[in-house]
Amino acid sequence: MATTDTRATALNPERMTLMIGIGAAILGYVMPAVVFKGSGDVVHDLSMIEKLPVLSALALAALVAAIATRFVPQWQRWAEKATVLAIVVIIASAVWGFVASISVFSSLRPMIVEIAGTRSVRIDPGAGHIPILIGAALMAFSLRMRGKAAAKG
């Protein structure tokens, strides 16, 4: 019985792990990343795309590059570097986005205060950070799987 070579298909477990990780990261970018409460019982939220649109576009480009290096044969040699870059960019933007929202010196804080309608605002991390971290972990695990496969030959 002949075996099917799945290295160049989406059935490859390493590629599927990468795709699920990228999907989780994209989900995290559209979910609320910062939740804040102003006066009364009204709760507001901002996603990563609303907070940092340019950095979100850069992260999306890095995620697309990580996918493209798996499917375009001429770009296979940059697959590991593109995945590492994508992991670094999504983690850095998640951390930077939250720090910028609580920092008094950033442009996000005045916007949050204006949306909340009060001067004292409590800012909490939203659920959007969880899929971003899960996505980064799955992408790192796909790199581990790729490294083990390369070591076997």
Side-chain angles (χ1 to χ4, degrees):
M1 184 169 168
T3 59
T4 304
D5 184 15
T6 59
R7 287 179 293 180
T9 67
L11 297 175
N12 184 343
E14 180 263 330
R15 281 192 187 165
M16 289 306 293
T17 305
L18 177 75
M19 297 297 186
I20 293 169
I22 288 174
I26 291 172
L27 177 66
Y29 269 85
V30 297
M31 288 178 66
V34 172
V35 178
F36 53 95
K37 183 177 178 182
S39 58
D41 291 333
V42 179
V43 176
H44 305 279
D45 59 17
L46 289 173
S47 69
M48 288 295 290
I49 294 172
E50 293 169 329
K51 287 191 316 182
L52 302 169
V54 174
L55 197 54
S56 297
L58 183 69
L60 182 65
L63 293 172
V64 168
I67 293 171
T69 57
R70 297 302 201 278
F71 290 103
V72 177
Q74 294 87 356
W75 298 350
Q76 291 275 333
R77 62 181 171 214
W78 294 306
E80 292 85 7
K81 293 177 183 98
T83 305
V84 169
L85 178 69
I87 292 169
V88 169
V89 168
I90 64 171
I91 294 292
S93 64
V95 171
W96 187 8
F98 185 70
V99 170
S101 64
I102 61 173
S103 173
V104 178
F105 302 108
S106 74
S107 61
L108 287 174
R109 180 73 180 195
M111 181 179 72
I112 289 173
V113 169
E114 182 182 332
I115 291 171
T118 183
R119 288 181 54 116
S120 89
V121 178
R122 180 179 173 195
I123 300 172
D124 295 319
H129 292 286
I130 295 169
I132 289 174
L133 294 176
I134 290 172
L138 284 171
M139 290 169 63
F141 186 66
S142 78
L143 279 177
R144 180 180 163 96
M145 293 169 67
R146 186 176 180 88
K148 280 187 174 183
K152 284 184 181 176

